Amino acid sequence: MDIDHNGIGSFAKSKIKITAADSDAIHFTLSDVDLSIANSLRRIMIAEVPTIAIDLVEFNENSSVLADEFIAHRMGLVPLISDHAKRLQYSNDCNCLNFCDNCSVTLTLDASCTTDTTMPVTTRQLQSNNDNVQPYFRDGADPGILLVKLRKGQSLSMRCIAKKGIAKNHAKWSPVTAVAFEYDPHNRLRHTVYWIENTVTGKPRWQEIEEQWPDSYYADQEDKPAPDGTFDYEAEPRTFYFQVESSGALAPGEIVHQGLEKLAAKVGGLLGCVREGYVWTEDELRYESEDKHPVEYRED
Amino acid sequence: MATPQKQGAAAQKQMKNVPTFRTLARQDESVNPSSRSAAYPRLQKISAPHIDSFNSIFSYESPQKGLLEKAILSIGSKVVFDGKENRNKIELWVSNVEVGKPSVEGARGSVHTQLFPSECRERGVSYKAKMQGKLNWRVNNGPIQTEQRSFGSLPILVRSLKCHLYGKSPKDLIKQHEDPEEFGGYFISNGIERLIRLLIVPKRNHPTALIRPSFQNRGPTYSQYGVAMRCVRPDQTSQTVTLHYCNDGAVTLRFSYRKNEYMVPVLLVLRALADASDQELFERLTMGKVEDTFLTDRVELLLKSFRRYDANTRKQCLAYLGDKFAVMLDSPEDKTQLEVGEEFLRSVILVHLGEKDYREKFEMLIFMMQKLYALVAGTCTPDNPDSPQHQEVLLGGHLFLAIIKEKFVDWLSAIKTQIQTDIRRFPATVDFQDKKYLTKVLTKVSGSADIGRKLEYFLSTGNLVSNTGLDLQQTSGYTVVAEKLNFYRYISHFRSIHRGSFFAELKTTTVRKLLPESWGFLCPVHTPDGSPCGLLNHLSHTCNIVVSKLDVSGIAQLVASLGAGQMAGIGPRIKGGKAKSDEGYEGSSDEEMEDAEGGDASADEEVELDVDVLTKQREETTVSIQLDGKIVGWGTAKLVERIAKQLRHWKVMGSKGVPLDLEIGWVPPSNGGQYPGLFLFSTPARMTRPVKYLANGKTDMVGPFEQVYMDIACLNEDVVPGLTTHIEFTPTNILSVVANLTPFSDFNQSPRNMYQCQMGKQAMGTPTQNLPHRTDNKLYRLQTGQTPVVRPSLHDEYGLDGYPNGMNAVVAVISYTGYDMEDASILNKSAHERGYGYGTVYKGEWVDLGDYRRRGEPISHHFGFVANGSEVTSVPKKLLDRAKDYVDMDGLPIIGVRLKQGNPMYAYVDDVTGKVTLAPYKGMEDAYVDEVRLLGSDSGDEELQRIHIKLRIPRPPVIGDKFSSRHGQKGVISQKWPTIDMPFSESGIVPDVIINPHAFPSRMTIGMFVESLAGKSGALHGRSQDATPFKFDEDHPAADFFGEELKEAGFNFHGNEPMYSGITGQEFKADIYIGVVYYQRLRHMVSDKYQVRTTGPVHNLTQQPIKGRKRAGGIRFGEMEHYSHSYVCRICGNLLSPQSVPESGSSAAVSGGGVRNRVRCVTCGKTEGIDVIAVPYVFRYLCSELVAMGVKLRLNVK
């Protein structure tokens, strides 16, 4: 079977140029890859980079105004610093019966209000049994995420079991809030047709488009084509502009890093499938097990 | 397109008062609720008609003097004679009826006995207060004796004068477990909130001309013409009288009394009212129009036909009436015929006029007859009884009072009947002087003395049990539950106004029509589609209902001072023209008229259809001036019009004592139009609405009667100089509260706005803020409700941020995956996982162990496992094991426990048998125990017998659940699509919801597009967007305004964005319209709907699956027949005659097993020719039904 070396095979030649980065987000340009690879990276960063999130909540007491399941849902969405995820096992793969220290982190919260004013309960009050897995705060002044408010006499006591997971299963495991993705800011490839209000100004179409459509974020990254320039109908998108915004669970750069690793592993797995007689490593099989619908692999 | 400058100006104008979300102000409101006044006065006014009318029962003319006092006074007394030789007479009447404040009965030794609404709701009892009054009697006109009596407990309207919450501030209300903005207006009957519906009734004290073919069925010679007048007494009870025109020239007066119809010749009544000769009557009726032969002929006929009654003088007529109506009126035996005749005139004829003012009644009756003749002659049109012009509102408080009054009458009648029965059966025991006898009588009729209970029955069922019918057309459906499904629904109950269930059955659709007369009073948008369409309307949000008494004592004098004639002799009359020859007639009776007009009536020209002539002719028509159905003056049209204008001016200025709520209905003379005159109304139960008076910019309150003849501009550009007198404050005033909450509704196709009014009321939202204190049977709650980014300004004025009804969603209009076909929408799986649309259903269940024993018996059942006097060890361990995860040792459910179908919910033990019963949870869905409420008795000294369990059923959105935008665009969720596969924009925005573009072209909900634009820019700029309708126009289009805002934020002007396929990463060929739209989750959820099964219970008659989800029934989809194999006799074709009989036929063989049965046709007596065929079981059933009717069915089996 032939492999398209301009596509997957040329993945290795691709370049990443980081244009801007801070603690929340990273901007980078991915070039010399195929669209499918770029999109795969986007998809993986959203849904397949593992993080740690609260998955089980055991309530000892809840006399707050919010129902148990509602608080549990809120707890699930709390971003936990997930660098530890690498060292954590998936609960499904763990040898333990239910969960253990190898596959889970326990956070506890005990709060009760004794003052006359309402007491906000925030993620600051969460106590983790693992120093590496803590709720995310921007800085020391960050008050944390408000979970529930208690009035005098109410209390909340619970044990939260955080597990490793991916966002394919639940959005709470997504390390990103959004991934911006763009290519061909000047529409050289004519993948899209800019819609314009049909006016009677008699201006040329390109001028109307220029007036009605604002430049996209990365428009200055590429040269503007001349309005009367030739259209290269064979051209393919090769440069992709990304912006990854982190939920706080992982550093933005780490998300990209893990995403690429994951992508590489996937591509590797695919190549393995294509090459006859390839035997999957255990590691590769494990990645596969994360999918809800594991691929049936025949070895012959 | 607007010029940039204009847009800039518009934007600046908008910027000046940038609408905000008021987040901080609202937080402050809820953290520090006001201890003075309500934060949202508009919201408080929603229940005003209900509360004010209830208050008027106790406080009307003065703070202490209410309508109740008037009503009690007007009942009068009942008189009984004991039939003994000296004919003792006893006279009984009621007085000093007083109502307290709600209190707990039989609570001894408690700190306070006040009963608050929240306690009633939580305990499932009624909110009522003791009613007491005096029974007075005197024997043989001797000294008056008095006894204080109790009349039971009267249901009390929440937040009324008699309610503990009256005048309470938000802070105090919260203390009483109410919403801070609780506006009351409902009763609490057994824990359920019910309110008396507003009902449309004919306008009071104004004669309406009617043409009804059904009038001809009243009797021979009856024509289709009539004039009806619903006369209302000062105590707000009514009595309708109708004048019928008969083809023989006679006019009869018809009325209904205690559900019986009576007809009286009108002349008899007229003569009884005033000593009037035939000549006077002729003159008054013809108004001097002697050349009008149509009229004179009829009046002559009328006068002649009366000759057959031998009643010529007033006294004779009164005696005649007295003789005929003594029985009907149930008048005392010692009254003379004359007195009874007067009583008749007092209590039946034109009861809105003073009791002694026979002359006034006479005048009014004459006026009605004139209108009737005009109607017959075709010089005036019939009035439309379906138009709000001739309608008013039956207010809850007034109806409530009318029932109280009638129940008092019933009680007095019951006493009378009881005494009469005693006289007949045990004459010896009857002794009026003996108080003991009276006490005995009173105990016997104690059933009808509990008036409070009767009213409670009325409220809890809505059924009117009445001997008189209260002059109303229906007997049921007066009350409705104020469902707290969501806040929109709740508000609508108080603003809804029904035409009456009588009209629901009518085949014609005329009553349902939206008439221009209802402009500003009834919302043109907010009416349900389907059977109640047009019958169940909603008041416009600024529509006010007059309830208080207006001081109009000076009006008659004012009218006179403006030059109106007081002589009541001359009615409308055309001078000149047709009435050429009336000059000769003028002379005598016209003198006073001349005073009034300043004497310029000398026109007598030829009839010409000249505009000027016609105008002059009309101006000189003499018309009447009436105040609340009483003639207060006469004048020429020109003069009267001037009076009307002057009165209006004074009214708006608030000078000369003309009240603002006075309705000044000037009906100018016309050629065959409405009967002319100046009709002033000051009575309660009228709708009014504020409009701006152009002359001085002040507010004028306008009623539906006058509005028809007024020139009110809607917008500034509608003003016609010299003609327009008023202008709307804002065009949105014509919409109801709920209709006003549709953003940009002026961009939508009108039916879509109607649908939204329905769907807004079905949305899962925030029904109330005092959830922990509610015990509703079913309550829907949206867990993550949001304030809409795009909302009309009224959203804030009504404080609806306290009751969110949906959530803002990023919506892309794109055809993607095909799962968004046919109004289905695709939900982003991640949005769902983050809590989008998450809802909860609360279900309440009352448990009363008292149901297991008979009334009055001692308590025999207890919550728990251990019977009185036995040990825990006696309880079977198996049972305890089964219960231990769900039920505590006290027999009550453990809070927070999750119940599945069949799990034990509570346990109780029977003392007698010692048996422990575990009551199972019967619901099909898993539920959590949210609250358990232990309910005590009134006195609080009883063992626990009643509990209320509140269950919480989580309802996350699932495929098949219904969602809608606020533009009548509903759809079901067809897929939860993974985020990574969803389309995304360049900035990484993934839509929460995808809808199909095909939802728009035919429905034309442009408002939704505009909302999407506005929502997007609002979200980008972080501001709330004003979506009040009618704010944009052709010169300043909304799309441009919000387009500019989007452009400012760096987005495409038109709201489009290039988007990428989530699956391939490739940019779409077309740009996608994406924005933020507020979405409602509707309460119709698949989990309530699915009904599928293969086998199960069947109907035993038809063998078909039974319907209804409760009985696990299937949806009846096409043929549901159960096929059966049936024998058929080939010879006689009979399906039923082949019967299975034992072969031998002996009785022993029947009981013994193993005997083969043989099928034999009982008609043919043969066993040959019997076949088995497959027929639907219902067919067999049909055969047997036919046999029962003697119809033979023959099957030709081949």
Side-chain angles (χ1 to χ4, degrees), chain A residues 3-16 30-38 236-238 240 263 267 271:
Chain A
I3 293 167
D4 173 13
H5 287 279
N6 289 322
I8 297 166
S10 64
F11 181 32
K13 297 171 197 157
S14 62
K15 288 192 285 265
I16 284 189
L30 177 67
S31 47
D32 294 332
V33 288
D34 196 72
L35 170 61
S36 55
I37 292 292
E236 294 278 331
R238 302 295 293 170
F240 305 91
L263 179 59
V267 175
L271 279 171

Side-chain angles (χ1 to χ4, degrees), chain A residues 164-205:
Chain A
K164 182 181 174 182
I166 56 167
K168 261 191 177 178
N169 294 331
H170 195 285
K172 66 186 172 186
W173 277 302
S174 183
V176 299
T177 51
V179 176
F181 175 93
E182 185 184 348
Y183 65 87
D184 188 23
H186 297 297
N187 197 26
R188 279 167 187 272
L189 307 171
R190 308 211 183 154
H191 277 189
T192 191
V193 179
Y194 286 117
W195 179 82
I196 51 160
E197 175 89 40
N198 196 11
T199 55
V200 285
T201 52
K203 287 180 204 161
R205 198 182 146 79

Side-chain angles (χ1 to χ4, degrees), chain A residues 43 69 73 171 183 193 195, chain B residues 833 952 981 1062 1067 1069 1071:
Chain A
R43 288 164 62 95
E69 68 269 17
H73 177 246
Y183 65 87
V193 179
W195 179 82
Chain B
E833 282 160 0
R952 186 178 72 239
D981 293 338
E1067 201 168 359
K1069 199 85 186 164
D1071 314 311

